[in-house]
Amino acid sequence: MSSSSSVSLPGDPPGGRRAMAVWGIGVSVYFVAVIFRTSLGVAGLDAAERFHVNASALSTFSILQLLVYAGMQIPVGLLVDRLGTKKVLAIGVVLFTAGQLGFAFSPSYGTALASRALLGCGDAMTFISVLRLGTRWFPARRGPMVAQFAGLVGMAGNLVSTLVLARLLHGIGWTAAFAGSALAGVVVLVLLLLFLKDHPEGHEPEPFPHQGAAYVRRQIAASWREPGTRLGLWVHFTTQFPAMVFLLLWGLPFLVEAQGLSRATAGELLTLVVLSNMVVGLVYGQIIARHHAARLPLALGTVAATALLWAVTLAYPVVSAAEHVPMWLLIVLCTVLGACGPASMIGFDFARPANPPERQGTASGITNMGGFVASMTTLFAVGVLLDATGGDYTVAFSAVFVLQAVGISQILRLRKRAARRERERLVASRVETVHVPA
């Protein structure tokens, strides 16, 4: 294990079974939030028919949801730093459950949009809170694995949405499926209120003065000044969005309308993305926990593999004059897309060591904005290009390469400064550890 990942910092929480139990409640909230977030991915064609909308209007559901999510990241980070995890998670559960329930009964496109916005607001409060909960209950050296496991649980929620909710939707209908799923929000809210605690006994955070707008400006500015926070944002930006766009909305229409697959087969390919994500997440977490130097090669390698597979997939019908992409290539594409989620978690492994505990929520919020801004932009671009080209997915999905190029340029610009600053902090933490009395 590298020295950077094995340092025991002063005041580290002990972890253990109690930590796993409490953190398990937190990730169960995130699990339900992801089910609700990705539910539109299996209902996109049904939503278009139910609300009588075209591709651009359909993409607005996910764009608005992600716009609210991304816009809430810094405010949520500040709230988590100030109010603690339990209160913020409780608010989040109430909001995303109300949003899912509202979506079930929405009689029109406008009310459905409002419901997705409410859902996005509640969803925005979950992941940062879960990351903060992990830093309060587990030693710092467990950070990479804790983050990757949280991502894995989120993908399990995506799997439930792909497999279970899709079947319910076509079995019992729109209203019953969405309203029934909202009950999961009620269950996790009860567990949260009864059993979740912000931190273990004896590890209360030191009082930190909060002075209104001045505190907000100070937190954001101090987090943003750290190259590691900005690098984390751009890593998240560049890695997450290809899979997010595919799973959240455009994967099913692409596979059914452009590739001529049945809904059942398309659903199996979406499931493959999720399963691949879960396996790769475990592998990436283990590698990074042992070799911190592997963070950037893993992130850039994932971006390169994703770009290559998308390019081959989109170019295949043009080059070969075939009507559809062969199944083996779609399987490889979906397997590689599964690495996007775990790679995006690496962004937090750059932001985490760059900021002290009292700024972890704010720094995580800034980082988490990256992938969702990229996803929102790409969702919109794909919808507009589909309408403009009469449904040409080759042109529409080419927007992926533009966002990847922007992100890679920023990662390469920031990587050396972030590495230098992290080395300085590591040396300082070692000195502090040496001088802590036994």
Side-chain angles (χ1 to χ4, degrees):
M1 185 177 291
S2 70
S3 60
S4 63
S5 62
S6 60
V7 171
S8 293
L9 299 178
D12 254 1
R17 292 182 180 179
R18 175 80 188 284
M20 285 298 298
V22 173
W23 192 67
I25 296 171
V27 294
S28 69
V29 174
Y30 179 56
F31 172 77
V32 174
V34 173
I35 294 175
F36 292 0
R37 178 201 303 171
T38 58
S39 58
L40 187 61
V42 297
L45 296 176
D46 298 88
E49 181 179 346
R50 179 180 177 88
F51 299 113
H52 310 291
V53 294
N54 60 15
S56 296
L58 181 62
S59 68
T60 303
F61 278 121
S62 296
I63 291 168
L64 178 62
Q65 184 178 330
L66 293 184
L67 178 64
V68 173
Y69 187 105
M72 286 289 293
Q73 290 309 292
I74 292 178
V76 168
L78 291 164
L79 282 174
V80 171
D81 285 337
R82 183 166 186 174
L83 301 179
T85 301
K86 184 171 184 174
K87 292 179 181 178
V88 176
L89 273 180
I91 296 171
V93 174
V94 171
L95 291 177
F96 70 60
T97 301
Q100 185 78 341
L101 195 60
F103 196 58
F105 293 100
S106 292
S108 66
Y109 177 67
T111 54
L113 274 179
S115 297
R116 295 307 287 186
L118 188 63
L119 192 157
C121 187
D123 182 19
M125 298 184 175
T126 58
F127 188 66
I128 294 175
S129 298
V130 169
L131 288 182
R132 172 62 175 264
L133 196 65
T135 63
R136 289 298 186 192
W137 280 90
F138 294 96
R141 67 182 181 275
R142 302 295 184 194
M145 276 304 297
V146 167
Q148 287 291 349
F149 190 74
L152 187 151
V153 170
M155 290 312 295
N158 203 325
L159 188 62
V160 169
S161 187
T162 303
L163 295 177
V164 180
L165 189 59
R167 292 185 180 182
L168 288 175
L169 187 65
H170 299 122
I172 62 177
W174 177 284
T175 301
F178 280 101
S181 67
L183 293 175
V186 178
V187 173
V188 293
L189 178 61
V190 172
L191 290 175
L192 185 159
L193 294 175
L194 291 178
F195 302 112
L196 190 137
K197 295 184 179 298
D198 285 340
H199 47 74
E201 290 78 3
H203 290 270
E204 294 81 1
E206 294 183 8
F208 191 77
H210 304 297
Q211 300 174 353
Y215 162 73
V216 171
R217 289 193 298 269
R218 186 167 57 249
Q219 286 286 89
I220 296 173
S223 297
W224 185 254
R225 277 197 300 268
E226 292 292 344
T229 304
R230 284 174 280 149
L231 179 60
L233 179 147
W234 285 109
V235 167
H236 200 269
F237 177 100
T238 314
T239 53
Q240 187 202 48
F241 78 93
M244 177 71 75
V245 168
F246 198 77
L247 289 171
L248 199 60
L249 184 61
W250 291 123
L252 188 69
F254 168 72
L255 295 172
V256 173
E257 296 177 351
Q259 301 308 318
L261 301 179
S262 67
R263 286 196 182 201
T265 304
E268 290 172 357
L269 287 172
L270 294 180
T271 302
L272 177 60
V273 178
V274 177
L275 292 175
S276 173
N277 184 300
M278 296 171 75
V279 172
V280 174
L282 290 175
V283 174
Y284 277 18
Q286 291 287 351
I287 292 173
I288 295 169
R290 289 168 169 77
H291 309 286
H292 255 34
R295 290 173 299 173
L296 204 55
L298 284 176
L300 292 176
T302 302
V303 174
T306 304
L308 175 63
L309 264 298
W310 262 123
V312 173
T313 300
L314 297 178
Y316 189 93
V318 178
V319 174
S320 66
E323 186 177 356
H324 300 304
V325 176
M327 179 58 72
W328 68 264
L329 183 53
L330 291 175
I331 290 173
V332 175
L333 171 67
C334 290
T335 302
V336 171
L337 284 176
C340 291
S344 72
M345 295 297 102
I346 297 173
F348 298 101
D349 291 320
F350 286 108
R352 188 185 305 109
N355 292 273
E358 64 270 15
R359 286 208 310 267
Q360 288 294 319
T362 306
S364 295
I366 292 172
T367 300
N368 208 29
M369 283 181 63
F372 290 93
V373 169
S375 298
M376 177 179 60
T377 304
T378 309
L379 282 167
F380 177 73
V382 170
V384 170
L385 290 171
L386 283 174
D387 285 338
T389 60
D392 190 333
Y393 281 92
T394 299
V395 174
F397 274 121
S398 295
V400 169
F401 305 121
V402 177
L403 274 292
Q404 286 181 322
V406 172
I408 288 173
S409 67
Q410 294 301 314
I411 291 171
L412 296 179
R413 182 178 69 86
L414 289 164
R415 72 189 193 284
K416 290 184 179 179
R417 274 183 281 173
R420 184 170 60 250
R421 180 70 172 140
E422 190 169 301
R423 285 194 299 269
E424 293 170 357
R425 282 189 175 275
L426 177 60
V427 170
S429 68
R430 283 174 171 170
V431 171
E432 186 178 357
T433 301
V434 168
H435 287 88
V436 170

